[in-house]
Amino acid sequence: MLNLTTQVDFHARVRPDALALAYDDQRLSWRDLQARVRVTAAGLRERGVGPDSIVAMLMKNSAAFIELLYAISHLGAVSLPLNFRLAREEIDYILGHSGAMLLVADDEFRDTVEGIGVATVILDDAARHDSRAAFGGAGEIIRAHRREAADLMRLMYTSGTTDRPKGVMHSYGNFFAKNFDMINNLQLDANERLGVVGPLYHVGAADLPGLAVHCAGGALFVQREFRAEAALRMIAAEGITGIWLAPVMTGAILHQDPAGLPDLGSLRWCIGGGERTPEQRIRDFRRIFPNARYIDGYGLTETVSGDVLMEPGREIEKIGSVGRPMSLVEVEIRGEDGAPLPWGEVGEICLRGPKVTKGYWKDEARTRAAMLPDGFFRSGDMGYLDSEGFLFLTDRKKDMIISGGENIASSEVERVIFEMEQVMDVAVIAQPDPQWGEVPVAVVTLRPGAALDFDLLNAHCRARLAGFKCPKALHIVAELPRNPSGKILKRVLREQIAAGKA
């Protein structure tokens, strides 16, 4: 039987008093976590949640977030973590498209979800610290529902290359294959103490290695939101051994005053946010964390992430690479025709293995488009492999913008801007940013006689999109550069913006 709570039950049996989860001033043993999950599962069942029900979660990090993930799985239901920075229109779409039957939301999002049309449970501070405060009751505690490897465990909606997000299906087989690779690669065991400072709705915090630490019997130390000083204090005070950080988080930590830093010698490793990390950043990281290695990597939501990681001692020698594939992942570079390319030649990064999603929820067309006949998944990213199998990223075929670790589909933002009556044509591109890595900017052509300024564009976008997706600058041009087939040349636009010619 495959169920997330089988691992909770196992550790509650063999190490009942060992630490499983810490949040704020709480310390939960495996026995404590098991008890909370069972009661919360019973409360969910009283609300009609059962096998294959979809339960959405609009929550920041908390003890309840972890407890709910387990309780939802216990019933054979499917969790749907939502990015809490999404706009109401985006949340409405995802809830409707997914068919979610219940939404659990933190009380700070009460106004966002008011009248949303899905049964909703609001968590106050007490419930965020203990999910039983919202779901406890007289419900009968039941055994875990049996799940198989192909059964759906989780839905994660990710920005797509068209006008709407895609629901990535994560099966139990995907999830446990990811856990095996994380445990194997990072040598995780029951002594692991993972700092969870990124948002748990994201594969970075949830899966790199995230709950794989629980599979190994280790403990999760959860912070509600990332703050550099608080993260450093936690590493020192709790003896944190590993952590995942998006690039913007790493940058914030490295900007702290070294003179005031606590003893950070416990940290053994940090997985980065999936970009080509500059050599200087790796050296700066080593100065602050003398016993830890910075692990650059590459992965997709569609593969539960963690597909390629840098190997120990090769970081500087292979600077610019994101590492070599994990044990359960095949990586090949394919041409436009889908045929494999030799090492050193740039093409589309394609992946195959038990971690790869079986497709997109209720979207057969996009599923077919993403899969090659031999089972390889088309990532949409461009890169090459060197003669030793190290992967180098060169570009994003999908024109995805990565800002502070968040994926932004340029086409999704373009769709919203096209709604403005002043706009004739628009392209949204990435612009380098020292804090966020990249930010979106809009390049627009106007209809004859129309006028548009940034404030008007910003107000329109913020009413329809999450703040991080909204363009941070507006450039008005006479025309957009296109190739002979009419496709906008975004590379040319980026060069023009960088040179101040647009």
Side-chain angles (χ1 to χ4, degrees):
M1 179 178 73
L2 293 176
N3 190 292
L4 297 191
T5 54
T6 56
Q7 66 192 31
V8 176
D9 293 342
F10 172 77
H11 293 302
R13 186 174 75 247
V14 301
R15 52 177 61 84
D17 298 318
L19 181 65
L21 177 63
Y23 175 68
D24 273 359
D25 57 352
Q26 295 186 98
R27 295 292 186 272
L28 302 183
S29 68
W30 284 104
R31 182 191 289 113
D32 297 331
L33 180 59
Q34 180 190 52
R36 289 190 179 192
V37 168
R38 288 180 172 180
V39 171
T40 297
L44 285 168
R45 188 165 178 260
E46 285 188 312
R47 287 169 169 79
V49 177
D52 301 319
S53 299
I54 296 174
V55 180
M57 303 163 64
L58 188 66
M59 302 167 60
K60 292 185 177 179
N61 292 1
S62 63
F65 198 117
I66 301 295
E67 292 160 13
L68 277 163
L69 286 179
Y70 283 123
I72 291 166
S73 174
H74 191 81
L75 298 173
V78 179
S79 58
L80 170 55
L82 295 170
N83 184 337
F84 53 74
R85 296 195 288 173
L86 294 178
R88 170 61 182 265
E89 181 180 316
E90 297 169 301
I91 295 171
D92 282 337
Y93 171 78
I94 292 173
L95 292 177
H97 183 265
S98 66
M101 58 85 66
L102 182 69
L103 171 65
V104 183
D106 287 342
D107 55 4
E108 65 185 277
F109 305 121
R110 185 186 299 270
D111 292 343
T112 301
V113 303
E114 184 177 1
I116 204 155
V118 174
T120 303
V121 176
I122 301 294
L123 304 184
D124 59 15
D125 184 65
R128 290 195 298 272
H129 282 78
D130 184 345
S131 56
R132 294 174 300 183
F135 294 97
E140 180 186 359
I141 295 175
I142 60 171
R143 295 180 61 186
H145 185 83
R146 184 182 182 87
R147 297 278 78 176
E148 303 294 342
D151 289 331
L152 187 61
M153 184 205 83
R154 179 175 61 185
L155 283 174
M156 279 190 164
Y157 276 74
T158 181
S159 294
T161 58
T162 60
D163 61 347
R164 290 296 188 183
K166 297 176 290 187
V168 178
M169 295 187 283
H170 289 159
S171 70
Y172 281 89
N174 296 152
F175 181 77
F176 282 108
K178 181 275 303 184
N179 282 356
F180 174 86
D181 258 353
M182 287 284 109
I183 292 170
N184 189 34
N185 186 285
L186 298 172
Q187 296 295 290
L188 304 179
D189 60 25
N191 297 311
E192 205 69 49
R193 298 166 76 84
L194 179 71
V196 181
V197 297
L200 281 162
Y201 67 73
H202 190 283
V203 287
D207 297 300
L208 283 176
L211 293 183
V213 169
H214 266 181
C215 273
L220 305 184
F221 292 78
V222 177
Q223 290 192 336
R224 185 155 179 80
E225 297 179 277
F226 172 77
R227 291 184 177 83
E229 290 185 9
L232 289 169
R233 288 196 302 270
M234 178 184 69
I235 292 170
E238 303 290 0
I240 299 300
T241 58
I243 198 166
W244 172 85
L245 296 173
V248 66
M249 298 175 186
T250 306
I253 282 177
L254 296 181
H255 278 94
Q256 297 297 303
D257 180 8
L261 294 179
D263 180 4
L264 303 170
S266 65
L267 197 71
R268 294 191 298 110
W269 52 263
C270 168
I271 297 179
E275 64 175 22
R276 291 168 289 178
T277 304
E279 181 176 344
Q280 189 57 49
R281 171 162 286 196
I282 294 175
R283 295 190 185 280
D284 291 343
F285 181 87
R286 288 175 173 175
R287 279 196 289 271
I288 292 179
F289 299 102
N291 299 325
R293 63 187 182 102
Y294 184 87
I295 309 173
D296 213 338
Y298 170 79
L300 310 168
T301 302
E302 287 87 346
T303 58
V304 207
S305 204
D307 303 313
V308 176
L309 293 180
M310 181 52 68
E311 295 172 3
R314 308 295 297 273
E315 298 89 350
I316 302 302
E317 172 198 353
K318 293 290 184 178
I319 196 70
S321 170
V322 290
R324 286 199 279 199
M326 303 284 271
S327 65
L328 297 181
V329 181
E330 296 177 76
V331 175
E332 289 189 0
I333 306 300
R334 300 292 182 94
E336 288 291 333
D337 60 357
L341 297 176
W343 62 264
E345 192 167 334
V346 174
E348 185 173 7
I349 301 167
C350 298
L351 307 100
R352 182 170 67 181
K355 292 186 334 94
V356 176
T357 180
K358 59 185 176 182
Y360 298 111
W361 183 248
K362 298 180 182 177
D363 201 333
E364 293 183 7
R366 284 198 277 190
T367 298
R368 286 195 302 271
M371 297 293 185
L372 291 168
D374 57 0
F376 273 87
F377 179 85
R378 308 180 72 116
S379 73
D381 295 328
M382 307 297 285
Y384 66 91
L385 294 168
D386 71 7
S387 59
E388 292 186 90
F390 282 84
L391 177 65
F392 291 76
L393 307 180
T394 59
D395 202 0
R396 286 187 294 276
K397 187 177 180 181
K398 296 176 180 176
D399 289 319
M400 192 73 73
I401 301 164
I402 302 179
S403 184
E406 297 285 356
N407 288 346
I408 304 170
S410 57
S411 55
E412 183 183 12
V413 185
E414 290 162 355
R415 172 183 62 84
V416 169
I417 296 175
F418 264 124
E419 296 173 359
M420 303 186 75
E421 60 182 12
Q422 302 94 327
V423 173
M424 177 176 288
D425 207 355
V426 58
V428 173
I429 61 173
Q431 179 175 290
D433 182 86
Q435 180 180 5
W436 301 107
E438 293 177 340
V439 294
V441 299
V443 187
V444 170
T445 64
L446 299 178
R447 297 187 182 278
L452 180 65
D453 61 24
F454 177 76
D455 289 341
L456 187 60
L457 174 76
N458 190 47
H460 174 84
C461 290
R462 285 188 174 274
R464 295 161 176 81
L465 293 169
F468 70 91
K469 297 182 181 180
C470 297
K472 303 304 182 283
L474 168 65
H475 300 269
I476 297 175
V477 297
E479 62 180 4
L480 297 174
R482 295 179 181 272
N483 65 12
S485 65
K487 182 179 179 181
I488 296 174
L489 298 172
K490 292 191 174 182
R491 175 183 55 80
V492 173
L493 270 181
R494 288 192 289 267
E495 292 172 354
Q496 292 175 348
I497 295 294
K501 297 179 180 179

